[in-house]
Amino acid sequence: MAADTERDYDVVVLGAGPIGQNAAERARAAGLSVALVERELVGGECSYWACVPSKALLRPVIAVSDARRVDGAREAVSGPISNAGVFGRRNRYVTDWDDSGQADWVSGIGATLVRGHGRLDGPRRVAVAAPGGERTTLTVRHAVVVCTGSRPVLPDLPGIDEARPWTNRRATDSSDVPQALAVVGAGGVGVEMATAWQGLGSQVTLLARGSGLLPRMEPFVGELIGRGLADAGVDVRVGVSVRALRRPAGGRVAIELDDGSEIHVDEVLFATGRAPLTDDIGLETAGLTPGSWLEVDDTCRVRAVADGWLYAAGDVNHRALLTHQGKYQGRIAGAAIGARAAGRPLDTAPWGAHATTADHHAVPQAFFTDPEAAAVGLTARQAEQAGHRVHTVDVETGDVVMGAKLYADGYTGRARMVVDADGGHLLGVTLVGPGVTEMLHSATIAVAGQVPVDRLWHAVPCFPTISELWLRLLEAYRDSTAQDD
């Protein structure tokens, strides 16, 4: 590419991860010319350092655990997991960190891939600095979509630089198993990586500052996952904070805790939050603050920018830091841009209105721990805080669902259904137990579609599957509401 060149496009997308790819694909489907700008690997964090490699690492661990829960199968499981096999499998799914296949996909949809660091350069302009020093200016007719994602946040602690901590990237691309690993943080990354690395042979200590694990979910989720981690050998400590770290040259990491104790490990992983990757993308040229989250409307347009040319999808808008929600937003943004460019109303697309309504009441999330956890919509507390009058029912899955008993001997799990007592539809569903992540989409449909409970009785679950849990939840709801009457 020649130095200091200029090109014109209808749409420019900053960031060619899954969110940017979805935005680009929808804009291309509307007949618009699109450039995707990427400074690292096409496919982004999710493909190479987050969702894909983490699940590739976790699946063998969970598969072995599942086999050991079944009489007749557990006898066939002997010896430790083959770490070489696990890492080889991970490497296949991240294509050895080679993005040529995803780059081919970009050209396959008729978009242009521009490699380099892209920055806004005033309204409807993006300047891209290529690795070789060339500079390209992209002028934009309709929209720029920021899909640059987020980065891990490390706390400001004495000795943290000396400790050389892992973040999610090192936790998913490492092929060396530390003898002892401390995981700081009890959110999704923390509990999943504690599960994975304990299964791969590390002695893991999980440090949670709050009173439980996965604190944004129903309280019983953290209780059951904490019990599962402890049963697997993880040292789970709640209500503790890291006060300082030390790592002498060539030595192990010493972690000083606020309860006065100290632990020594080979590596420490911090999974303590995310910040937007917007500090060096030229936000100041659009009147915005570098490093800030970008507030958007329900079409993912950035509210603070005049003329409506700037959009933001995925982590950068801070609505839901989940890949699937970001991809959803990317589809909404791309289709909305296409509709506006053509002067069409936003609700004329064949697949529905261009508004991210699911971001408000039906966000699904799944964690591939042992046991698994899955939820969609509101917890009981969140629903009450939002002003709903709710009715909540719980079911101990292993006690009443034959499909669960057949899935695993001694199946342990729990489910909760939060019902809008006035509207008669579901506000939220939470599931914990082996195999429950594959049940999440049925719950998501019920919550997103606001399907009346009376109608759910006619969605007949197949026997004997774990999905018969739906019938048990409805029966529990019927019995509890009858008692209220």
Side-chain angles (χ1 to χ4, degrees):
M1 186 178 291
D4 299 318
T5 59
E6 292 199 16
R7 297 184 177 184
D8 298 332
Y9 292 93
D10 293 321
V11 179
V12 171
V13 180
L14 287 182
I19 290 83
Q21 289 176 3
N22 274 262
E25 190 276 332
R26 285 301 165 99
R28 283 293 301 133
L32 302 178
S33 61
V34 178
L36 278 96
V37 180
E38 178 55 57
R39 66 184 179 87
E40 290 189 306
L41 296 178
V42 180
E45 193 84 3
C46 174
S47 298
Y48 302 102
W49 298 285
C51 319
V52 172
S54 67
K55 303 316 172 285
L57 292 174
L58 282 158
R59 181 58 197 147
V61 173
I62 303 302
V64 169
S65 183
D66 281 345
R68 287 175 174 156
R69 291 191 182 98
V70 181
D71 285 338
R74 69 169 58 92
E75 290 80 3
V77 179
S78 61
I81 286 176
S82 167
N83 291 339
V86 173
F87 295 137
R89 182 176 191 267
R90 185 267 321 273
N91 293 352
R92 290 197 304 274
Y93 278 100
V94 300
T95 59
D96 290 314
W97 291 274
D98 178 355
D99 69 353
S100 56
Q102 298 215 47
D104 289 344
W105 178 89
V106 173
S107 61
I109 67 167
T112 300
L113 175 62
V114 182
R115 293 190 181 271
H117 183 66
R119 302 181 81 257
L120 299 178
D121 190 30
R124 292 183 170 85
R125 285 171 59 89
V126 173
V128 183
E134 304 91 344
R135 176 185 167 94
T136 302
T137 299
L138 310 176
T139 58
V140 184
R141 283 181 283 274
H142 295 296
V144 175
V145 190
V146 177
C147 304
T148 49
S150 63
R151 58 176 175 80
V153 173
L154 293 175
D156 185 13
L157 292 170
I160 194 163
D161 291 338
E162 176 186 331
R164 302 187 302 279
W166 285 11
T167 64
N168 69 288
R169 288 199 169 194
R170 192 70 181 111
T172 55
D173 71 12
S174 176
S175 295
D176 296 317
V177 180
Q179 182 176 350
L181 171 69
V183 178
V184 183
V189 173
V191 296
E192 286 193 340
M193 289 298 95
T195 301
W197 286 98
Q198 180 73 30
L200 292 170
S202 288
Q203 176 55 57
V204 175
T205 302
L206 178 61
L207 304 172
R209 183 174 58 183
S211 59
L213 313 185
L214 294 173
R216 296 183 182 178
M217 301 183 79
E218 297 282 10
F220 68 82
V221 176
E223 295 170 10
L224 291 176
I225 289 178
R227 190 184 310 165
L229 286 168
D231 289 346
V234 176
D235 181 5
V236 180
R237 305 190 190 186
V238 298
V240 295
S241 296
V242 176
R243 191 157 58 188
L245 304 98
R246 302 188 310 280
R247 185 170 198 160
R252 305 178 82 206
V253 182
I255 304 174
E256 180 184 337
L257 304 177
D258 63 354
D259 63 4
S261 65
E262 187 170 285
I263 62 174
H264 294 81
V265 295
D266 298 286
E267 302 292 349
V268 56
L269 161 65
F270 276 87
T272 48
R274 310 284 296 180
L277 267 173
T278 59
D279 50 309
D280 189 22
I281 61 167
L283 289 185
E284 67 279 3
T285 71
L288 302 171
T289 302
S292 64
W293 303 102
L294 300 177
E295 183 185 354
V296 298
D297 65 15
D298 282 347
T299 65
C300 294
R301 253 182 174 177
V302 177
R303 294 184 186 276
V305 174
D307 298 330
W309 59 271
L310 188 63
Y311 290 70
D315 285 9
V316 288
N317 65 33
H318 207 227
R319 284 188 163 208
L321 276 66
L322 298 162
T323 297
H324 47 272
Q325 290 299 121
K327 292 166 70 173
Y328 165 69
Q329 294 167 9
R331 294 191 293 271
I332 295 290
I337 292 166
R340 284 173 170 142
R344 297 194 311 269
L346 295 184
D347 60 355
T348 57
W351 58 281
H354 305 298
T356 54
T357 56
D359 278 356
H360 300 295
H361 76 282
V363 175
Q365 53 186 326
F367 299 106
F368 296 83
T369 46
D370 187 17
E372 295 176 350
V376 61
L378 304 177
T379 64
R381 182 179 180 185
Q382 290 166 346
E384 290 171 349
Q385 290 176 336
H388 296 282
R389 191 169 66 90
V390 304
H391 196 103
T392 302
V393 293
D394 291 351
V395 166
E396 297 296 327
T397 312
D399 292 346
V400 297
V401 180
M402 178 56 72
K405 295 178 182 181
L406 293 170
Y407 188 94
D409 299 325
Y411 188 104
T412 300
R414 186 179 302 172
R416 172 168 290 180
M417 187 169 73
V418 181
V419 182
D420 187 316
D422 296 315
H425 59 268
L426 303 191
L427 295 170
V429 176
T430 298
L431 311 164
V432 182
V436 298
T437 56
E438 295 302 328
M439 289 180 54
L440 181 58
H441 195 57
S442 59
T444 302
I445 291 170
V447 174
Q450 297 184 338
V451 180
V453 171
D454 289 346
R455 189 60 194 162
L456 286 175
W457 283 99
H458 300 281
V460 181
C462 184
F463 179 86
T465 65
I466 304 175
S467 63
E468 199 179 21
L469 173 61
W470 277 106
L471 180 57
R472 304 303 170 222
L473 284 166
L474 292 171
E475 290 171 343
Y477 176 72
R478 176 201 60 196
D479 295 346
S480 61
T481 52
Q483 291 173 4
D484 291 346
D485 294 340

